[in-house]
C-alpha cells in the first residue's frame, strides 16, 4: 500500500481497525447494531470501549469527548482524560462501555427553545455507533446524539438518525413489491459541496465585522469584483493551493473523502466537494470539513469565511446538498434502470420526491433559512426562494405521457415498454444544465442548492428523508393493496403529475416571470427567515414529523423558537458591531481626515490661496459625517425599541426595523469610504480583502 492510501482514515476507528482489534463475536454484534440500527449490549460496549481507548492512546490521544451538534449550527463537546487515579497514587487509563455510550452535559447552556422551561435542564449524549469515532488534536471524538433528559432532541442529528430509519423502512416496502428480497436497508446518501472564501488573516483581524459576524457590514464596491468571470475554475494561486493541499491531507486522515477542489465565481471564493456517503456520516464530515477549513486557514495566515454573504456586490456561498437513496448492497434507487421494469421502480421513487416537495415545500425551505442565507435566496446568484424541481424536459415528458396515457391495462403496459424503456438513454449531462433550480435532478441524485454555506446539512436531509418516506408509505399502501399492480403504478404516476406536477419547473428560476407564474400556481415564495420559521409549527408539517417520530409537537415548537431567537440574536449582534465600528473607528477616522484637510485649507488660505476643491471636499465630508452620526442614532433607537418578551415580535422588529436602518447606515459609510484618503481609512477595503491572498 502506498503511503497515501495508508494515511487515509489513519485517525479513524474504522471498520478495518475494529476487525483487527475486536474479538469476532463482539465485532459481529457491533456491526449488527451499526447496520441494522439495533441497541448495543452493555458487555459489548465495554469491550469496544477498551479497544477504542487502547487504539486512541496508541495514536496519541489522552482525552475523549462526546461530540455533538447542538442547535448553534456548530459542534460541541467537553474533553475528559482517560486517567483514573489509583490508591497507590498512580493512575491507570480507563474507558468504560458506560462512558462510551452515554454522557451528561448540561443542556441548559445550549439553545433549547423553551424546553428548558418545561423540562429538566439536564441532557445526555448517546453514542451514535453508525458514525465512526476519530482522533483530533489528542482527543478521541465520539459522535453522539444530544437529547434532553426527558428524551426531547436538542440537536441536529437526532432527527436525522430517526429519519434514516423511517426512509429505510418505507423504501424497502417498495423494493419488496418490485421483487427485491436481498437488500436489508435503504440508506440516504449525501455529498455536500462546500463553498468558502479565503482572506488574509491580518486583514481579517483588522475587521471587527468579519471577526464577530463572519461577514463585512461595510465596504464600498471594489473596482474589480467578479464581472470578468476570470476566477471560476481558474488557476489556483500558490498560497491557496498550499492551503487546499494541507486541508485535504488533514481531512483524509479523518476519513473525510475530500475529492474535488476549485476556484468559484467570486474572487477569493473556492469550493470543496467530497465523495458521497451515508447522510449521517456526511453530516458529521461536513461539520469536520468546516472546522478543518477554519483551523488550516489560521495555521496558514489566512481566514476561512463560511458565511453565506461575506461581501456585498459579489456572490455569496452556499452548499449543494446532493441527495439520493441507495440499498445496502449498493443499488442507487435514482439511477434509471436498464429494463422497463427497473425503470418503473425508478419512476415510483421519482414520483415520491415530486409529491413530497409539492406537499411540504415550506418544510424544505425552512431548512435553508438563516439570517445569513436571507442575503442569498432570491437574489440573482442563488436559487430563488421558491421551491421547485428541475427534471429536464425528457424525464418530464415521460411522466406526462404516462399520466395522460390510456387507462386500459394492456395499452398501459405496452406504453411502459415503449416510452419508459427510453429512460436508459437519458442524456445525463442534459439534466444538469439548469443551475437556477433550487432542487435539480442530476442524472442519479437530487441537488438541493438552497442550503447556506455555514449551515449543518442535517435538517435538509432529515426533511428530505421524512417527506419522501411519507410519499413512499402512501405508494406502498396503494401498491400492496392493488388488484392490478401495473394499473396502480400508472395511476400513482398520473395522480402525482395531476396533483403535484406544478412543482416541476425546467425554466430559468432567476426570472421575474417565474416568480409571477409560481405565485399563480400557488407555490410559496418565502423570502425571509422569520416567515420561513413558521413551517416548524404548520399543522401539516408537525403532523408528518410526529407521525414518523422525527420530531414531536413540542420538539417542532422548540425548533421554531430557536430559529427565531437565533435570527434575532444574529441581527442584534450585527447591529451592535456596526455601531461599535462606526463610533470607535469610522467616525473618528473621518473626523481626523476632515480636520487635517481643514488645517491644510486654512494654511493655504493664510498664504492667500482659497482652494475651492478643498472646500467642496470638506463640505461633502462634513455632511457625510452628519449623515453617519444621524443614522447611528437612529439605529441605536431602533435597537433600544426592538426587544420584546415575544420572540416573534423581536424577530420581526429585527427584520422590519433594524435591518433597513443597518442598510441606511451602511450606505452612508460606504459613500464616505469612496472619498476618504486610503491612509486614513481605518479598516481593510474590499480590494484588500478580495485580491490580497
Ligand atoms: P457537480 O454537481 O458539480 O456536477 P458531481 O455531479 O460530480 O458534481 O457531484 C457533486 C456531488 O454529488 C459530489 O459530492 C458527489 O459525491 C455527490 N454525489 C454523486 N452521486 C451521489 C449519490 N448517489 N448520492 C449522493 N450524492 C452523490
Ligand atoms: Mg453541484
Amino acid at each position: 500500500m502506498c503511503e497515501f492510501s495508508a494515511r487515509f482514515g489513519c485517525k479513524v476507528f474504522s471498520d478495518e481497525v475494529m476487525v483487527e482489534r475486536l474479538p469476532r463475536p463482539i465485532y459481529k454484534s457491533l456491526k449488527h447494531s451499526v447496520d441494522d440500527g439495533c441497541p448495543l449490549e452493555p458487555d459489548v460496549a465495554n469491550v469496544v470501549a477498551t479497544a477504542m481507548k487502547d487504539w486512541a492512546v496508541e495514536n496519541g490521544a489522552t482525552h475523549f469527548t462526546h461530540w455533538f451538534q447542538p442547535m448553534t449550527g456548530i459542534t460541541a463537546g467537553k474533553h475528559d482524560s482517560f486517567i483514573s487515579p489509583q490508591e497507590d497514587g498512580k493512575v491507570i487509563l480507563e474507558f468504560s462501555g458506560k462512558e462510551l455510550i452515554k454522557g451528561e452535559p448540561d443542556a441548559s447552556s445550549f439553545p433549547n427553545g423553551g424546553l428548558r422551561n418545561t423540562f429538566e435542564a439536564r441532557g445526555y449524549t448517546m453514542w451514535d455507533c453508525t458514525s465512526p469515532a476519530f482522533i483530533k488534536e489528542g482527543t478521541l471524538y465520539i459522535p453522539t446524539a444530544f437529547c434532553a433528559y426527558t428524551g426531547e432532541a436538542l440537536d441536529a442529528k437526532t432527527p436525522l438518525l430517526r429519519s434514516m430509519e423511517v426512509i429505510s423502512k418505507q423504501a424497502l416496502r417498495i423494493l419488496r413489491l418490485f421483487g427485491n428480497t436481498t437488500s436489508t436497508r435503504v440508506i440516504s446518501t449525501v455529498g455536500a459541496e462546500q463553498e468558502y472564501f479565503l482572506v488574509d488573516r491580518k486583514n481579517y483581524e483588522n475587521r471587527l465585522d468579519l471577526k464577530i459576524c463572519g461577514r463585512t457590514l461595510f465596504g464600498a464596491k471594489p473596482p474589480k469584483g467578479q464581472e470578468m468571470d476570470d476566477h471560476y475554475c481558474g488557476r489556483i494561486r500558490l498560497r491557496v493551493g498550499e492551503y487546499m493541499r494541507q486541508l485535504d491531507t488533514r481531512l483524509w486522515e479523518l476519513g473525510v473523502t475530500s475529492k474535488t477542489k476549485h476556484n468559484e465565481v467570486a474572487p477569493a471564493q473556492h469550493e470543496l466537494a467530497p465523495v458521497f456517503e451515508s447522510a449521517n456520516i456526511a453530516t458529521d464530515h461536513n461539520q469536520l470539513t468546516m472546522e478543518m477549513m477554519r483551523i488550516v486557514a489560521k495555521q496558514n495566515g489566512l481566514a476561512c469565511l463560511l458565511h453565506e454573504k461575506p461581501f456585498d456586490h459579489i456572490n455569496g456561498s452556499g452548499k449543494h446538498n446532493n441527495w439520493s437513496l441507495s440499498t445496502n448492497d449498493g443499488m442507487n434507487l435514482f439511477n434509471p434502470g436498464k429494463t422497463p421494469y427497473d425503470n418503473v421502480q425508478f419512476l415510483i421513487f421519482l414520483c415520491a420526491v415530486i409529491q413530497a416537495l409539492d406537499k411540504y415545500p415550506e418544510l424544505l425551505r425552512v431548512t435553508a433559512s438563516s439570517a445569513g442565507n436571507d442575503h442569498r435566496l432570491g437574489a440573482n446568484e442563488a436559487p430563488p426562494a421558491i421551491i421547485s424541481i428541475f427534471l429536464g424536459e425528457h424525464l418530464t415528458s415521460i411522466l406526462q405521457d404516462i399520466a395522460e396515457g390510456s387507462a386500459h391495462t394492456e395499452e398501459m403496459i405496452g406504453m411502459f415498454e415503449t416510452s419508459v424503456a427510453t429512460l436508459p438513454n437519458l442524456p445525463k449531462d442534459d439534466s444538469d444544465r439548469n443551475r437556477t433550480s433550487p432542487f435539480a435532478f442530476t442524472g442519479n441524485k437530487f441537488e438541493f442548492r438552497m442550503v447556506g454555506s455555514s449551515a449543518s446539512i442535517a435538517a435538509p436531509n432529515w426533511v428530505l428523508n421524512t417527506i419522501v418516506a411519507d410519499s413512499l408509505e402512501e405508494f406502498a399502501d396503494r401498491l400492496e393493496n392493488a388488484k392490478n399492480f401495473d394499473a396502480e403504478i400508472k395511476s400513482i404516476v398520473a395522480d402525482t403529475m395531476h396533483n403535484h406536477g406544478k412543482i416541476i419547473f425546467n425554466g430559468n428560476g432567476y426570472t421575474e416571470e417565474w416568480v409571477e407564474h409560481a405565485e399563480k400556481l400557488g407555490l410559496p415564495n418565502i423570502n425571509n427567515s422569520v416567515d420561513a420559521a413558521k413551517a416548524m409549527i404548520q399543522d401539516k408539517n408537525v403532523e408528518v414529523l410526529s407521525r414518523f417520530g422525527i420530531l414531536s409537537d413540542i420538539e417542532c415548537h422548540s425548533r421554531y423558537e430557536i430559529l427565531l431567537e437565533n435570527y434575532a440574536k444574529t441581527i442584534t449582534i450585527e447591529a451592535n458591531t456596526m455601531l461599535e465600528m462606526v463610533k470607535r473607528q469610522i467616525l473618528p477616522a473621518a473626523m481626523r481626515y476632515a480636520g487635517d484637510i481643514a488645517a491644510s485649507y486654512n494654511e493655504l488660505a493664510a498664504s492667500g490661496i482659497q482652494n475651492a476643491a478643498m472646500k467642496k471636499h470638506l463640505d461633502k465630508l462634513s455632511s457625510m459625517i452628519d449623515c453617519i452620526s444621524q443614522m447611528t442614532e437612529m439605529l441605536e433607537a431602533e435597537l433600544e425599541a426592538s426587544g420584546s418578551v415575544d420572540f416573534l415580535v423581536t424577530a420581526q422588529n429585527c427584520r422590519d426595523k433594524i435591518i433597513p436602518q443597518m442598510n441606511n447606515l451602511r450606505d452612508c459609510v460606504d459613500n464616505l469610504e469612496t472619498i476618504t484618503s486610503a491612509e486614513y481609512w481605518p479598516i481593510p477595503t474590499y480590494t484588500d480583502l478580495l485580491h490580497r491572498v
Side-chain angles (χ1 to χ4, degrees):
M1 213 191 285
C2 70
E3 215 229 328
F4 168 67
S5 59
R7 286 205 70 74
F8 182 85
C10 66
K11 295 192 172 166
V12 182
F13 192 68
S14 62
D15 201 55
E16 204 181 323
V17 178
M18 287 193 265
V19 169
E20 197 183 294
R21 291 180 175 251
L22 295 175
R24 194 74 198 149
I26 299 284
Y27 170 77
K28 277 175 85 173
S29 169
L30 177 62
K31 262 314 248 185
H32 182 52
S33 299
V34 173
D35 293 342
D36 303 322
C38 320
L40 203 67
E41 300 293 330
D43 320 353
V44 176
N46 273 326
V47 181
V48 177
T50 304
M52 225 187 233
K53 182 253 309 170
D54 290 345
W55 168 82
V57 171
E58 279 167 39
N59 283 282
T62 52
H63 289 66
F64 69 93
T65 185
H66 270 206
W67 188 54
F68 60 101
Q69 302 178 17
M71 285 175 287
T72 48
I74 52 173
T75 62
K78 66 177 187 331
H79 300 236
D80 284 311
S81 74
F82 290 118
I83 61 166
S84 167
Q86 302 297 293
E87 276 173 15
D88 61 3
K90 297 202 170 118
V91 293
I92 57 164
L93 301 182
E94 257 184 354
F95 185 48
S96 68
K98 212 169 131 247
E99 286 171 301
L100 168 63
I101 289 184
K102 195 168 171 181
E104 291 199 19
D106 177 2
S108 64
S109 318
F110 295 101
N112 57 27
L115 289 176
R116 171 176 35 216
N117 307 333
T118 333
F119 300 99
E120 286 188 74
R122 272 192 301 167
Y124 63 91
T125 48
M126 295 289 285
W127 178 32
D128 164 21
C129 62
T130 62
S131 178
F134 55 90
I135 298 171
K136 192 162 82 77
E137 285 128 28
T139 295
L140 170 69
Y141 280 69
I142 300 157
T144 61
F146 177 45
C147 295
Y149 205 71
T150 37
E152 280 75 21
L154 293 175
D155 67 347
K157 263 187 78 161
T158 303
L160 179 64
L161 293 170
R162 292 171 179 166
S163 76
M164 304 275 292
E165 297 304 313
V166 163
I167 187 85
S168 176
K169 185 171 164 207
Q170 300 305 332
L172 276 179
R173 284 178 68 195
I174 301 281
L175 293 183
R176 296 285 181 260
L177 287 162
F178 281 91
N180 175 329
T181 53
T182 49
S183 305
T184 54
R185 207 172 162 75
V186 169
I187 301 146
S188 60
T189 53
V190 171
E193 301 164 62
Q194 176 73 48
E195 292 181 338
Y196 62 98
F197 279 86
L198 284 179
V199 298
D200 189 88
R201 188 99 202 160
K202 280 199 216 84
N203 286 332
Y204 170 86
E205 296 287 349
N206 286 323
R207 298 266 328 202
L208 194 66
D209 47 5
L210 282 182
K211 284 206 314 187
I212 307 260
C213 312
R215 76 176 181 105
T216 55
L217 300 166
F218 303 106
K221 192 173 185 321
K224 181 173 188 278
Q226 64 189 48
E227 42 287 273
M228 302 291 280
D229 288 328
D230 53 354
H231 195 253
Y232 185 68
C233 289
R235 187 183 69 80
I236 295 172
R237 290 183 202 194
L238 294 179
R239 194 172 172 201
V240 174
E242 176 55 21
Y243 166 81
M244 289 174 164
R245 194 192 61 76
Q246 290 181 25
L247 177 62
D248 275 342
T249 308
R250 300 285 292 275
L251 290 175
W252 289 332
E253 286 176 355
L254 292 168
V256 179
T257 52
S258 170
K259 173 91 175 160
T260 311
K261 50 191 180 185
H262 62 80
N263 285 350
E264 257 302 329
V265 172
Q269 193 185 29
H270 313 280
E271 182 181 298
L272 179 152
V275 176
F276 68 94
E277 49 198 344
S278 106
N280 177 34
I281 297 177
T283 299
D284 287 358
H285 281 173
N286 182 249
Q287 289 287 1
L288 267 183
T289 301
M290 293 194 287
E291 273 176 46
M292 272 305 157
M293 282 180 162
R294 291 198 175 98
I295 292 170
V296 176
K298 194 167 180 186
Q299 289 166 341
N300 282 273
L302 296 164
C304 172
L305 308 179
L306 291 165
H307 193 280
E308 286 75 16
K309 190 73 179 171
F311 306 99
D312 260 15
H313 314 293
I314 63 169
N315 276 8
S317 298
K319 184 134 54 188
H320 288 176
N321 187 86
N322 295 274
W323 176 92
S324 187
L325 293 174
S326 161
T327 61
N328 58 322
D329 36 5
M331 181 182 34
N332 180 347
L333 301 179
F334 290 105
N335 226 344
K338 296 236 165 8
T339 68
Y341 222 60
D342 283 347
N343 279 332
V344 178
Q345 179 187 301
F346 161 75
L347 289 181
I348 287 296
F349 279 98
L350 191 61
C351 284
V353 174
I354 296 169
Q355 170 171 310
L357 261 74
D358 190 51
K359 272 176 85 175
Y360 305 104
E362 300 91 348
L363 193 54
L364 190 60
R365 168 67 182 86
V366 69
T367 68
S369 78
S370 66
N373 219 17
D374 279 3
H375 298 283
R376 272 176 83 234
L377 298 181
N380 248 19
E381 57 174 67
I386 306 160
I387 299 270
S388 66
I389 306 184
F390 172 86
L391 285 187
E393 299 295 344
H394 193 141
L395 202 46
T396 309
S397 68
I398 288 171
L399 288 171
Q400 272 161 354
D401 287 349
I402 298 172
E404 287 156 17
S406 150
H408 294 298
T409 318
E410 292 92 323
E411 281 177 36
M412 188 215 58
I413 289 170
M415 195 179 65
F416 273 149
E417 280 166 5
T418 52
S419 66
V420 183
T422 60
L423 271 178
N425 303 326
L426 249 188
K428 281 196 180 175
D429 293 347
D430 190 47
S431 62
D432 194 20
R433 293 257 165 79
N434 189 325
R435 309 299 288 182
T436 67
S437 175
F439 197 87
F441 181 65
T442 55
N444 60 1
K445 62 186 189 295
F446 292 91
E447 186 166 349
F448 182 39
R449 299 183 175 133
M450 274 188 172
V451 186
S453 48
S454 69
S456 159
I457 55 167
N461 292 304
W462 58 253
V463 166
L464 282 171
N465 289 344
T466 309
I467 63 179
V468 173
D470 175 65
S471 301
L472 292 175
E473 180 182 54
E474 184 195 318
F475 296 171
D477 286 347
R478 284 176 68 171
L479 290 168
E480 281 166 4
N481 295 314
K483 291 203 183 63
N484 181 329
F485 188 72
D486 285 345
E488 193 61 32
I489 283 177
K490 182 183 178 269
S491 87
I492 286 176
V493 176
D495 291 349
T496 303
M497 291 307 280
H498 289 143
N499 301 330
H500 306 291
K502 65 176 187 296
I503 197 87
I504 302 171
F505 175 62
N506 295 322
N508 181 353
Y510 290 172
T511 61
E512 201 43 49
E513 293 83 75
W514 167 236
V515 175
E516 285 163 21
H517 186 61
E519 196 182 339
K520 286 198 196 102
L521 292 173
L523 300 179
N525 183 1
I526 306 167
N527 67 5
N528 67 83
S529 294
V530 181
D531 290 339
K534 273 188 216 128
M536 284 316 303
I537 50 167
Q538 219 173 334
D539 286 347
K540 64 175 178 182
N541 299 336
V542 176
E543 189 280 324
V544 71
L545 290 171
S546 52
R547 176 156 46 87
F548 281 112
I550 308 298
L551 291 178
S552 66
D553 194 347
I554 292 170
E555 288 169 324
C556 287
H557 210 279
S558 90
R559 268 153 219 259
Y560 169 67
E561 268 187 45
I562 290 169
L563 279 168
L564 291 175
E565 273 176 10
N566 281 349
Y567 176 85
K569 281 180 192 161
T570 305
I571 304 296
T572 308
I573 290 169
E574 286 184 352
N576 280 318
T577 306
M578 272 191 133
L579 289 173
E580 176 158 341
M581 288 174 78
V582 167
K583 292 200 283 193
R584 303 194 56 203
Q585 292 186 291
I586 288 159
L587 277 179
M591 288 169 184
R592 205 174 333 117
Y593 178 47
D596 286 356
I597 295 183
S600 309
Y601 177 80
N602 286 338
E603 261 176 52
L604 279 184
S607 61
I609 301 169
Q610 299 279 350
N611 185 287
M614 274 174 117
K615 175 77 171 51
K616 205 166 142 197
H617 194 55
L618 261 179
D619 283 341
K620 224 174 176 178
L621 278 174
S622 168
S623 69
M624 282 187 187
I625 291 170
D626 282 343
C627 166
I628 291 171
S629 70
Q630 194 191 346
M631 292 300 153
T632 304
E633 280 167 21
M634 284 165 76
L635 180 56
E636 279 173 325
E638 289 297 0
L639 266 175
E640 188 94 355
S642 72
S644 157
V645 283
D646 184 335
F647 55 86
L648 175 61
V649 174
T650 309
Q652 285 166 338
N653 284 342
C654 285
R655 178 191 62 190
D656 302 332
K657 307 236 167 83
I658 295 183
I659 290 180
Q661 197 50 46
M662 284 168 69
N663 292 340
N664 291 341
L665 175 57
R666 178 180 182 143
D667 283 347
C668 295
V669 172
D670 290 356
N671 275 334
L672 176 71
E673 183 190 323
T674 63
I675 63 157
T676 302
S677 157
E679 236 178 284
Y680 289 76
W681 194 248
I683 54 177
T685 63
Y686 270 23
T687 298
D688 298 329
L689 289 165
L690 293 168
H691 299 290
R692 291 274 163 86
V693 168

